Amino acid sequence: MLFLFRGHNGPVVRAIAGAVLLAIGVALPGGALCAGIGAVLLVWGGIGVLSSQRVRRQGHIGSGGRMP
């Protein structure tokens, strides 16, 4: 499953897996470890999504030519 965390859709997969683990950890009694791992994956995926959007936006602006 770790190969899903790489590539173009990696941050989205991390966020989805984190949300699922967080929900399972909250639903099960004694699932604090699962909820903690889910929260970390959710935050990591969110940061990755925001970072990839920022890079894509900057690349799009910079590809038009020289900046004035």
Side-chain angles (χ1 to χ4, degrees), residues 16-59:
I16 291 171
V20 168
L21 284 174
L22 185 63
I24 290 172
V26 169
L28 294 177
L33 180 64
C34 192
I37 292 171
V40 168
L41 281 175
L42 190 60
V43 170
W44 184 23
I47 291 170
V49 167
L50 292 175
S51 175
S52 67
Q53 285 180 350
R54 191 184 85 218
V55 166
R56 188 175 306 131
R57 191 171 356 128
Q58 287 177 351

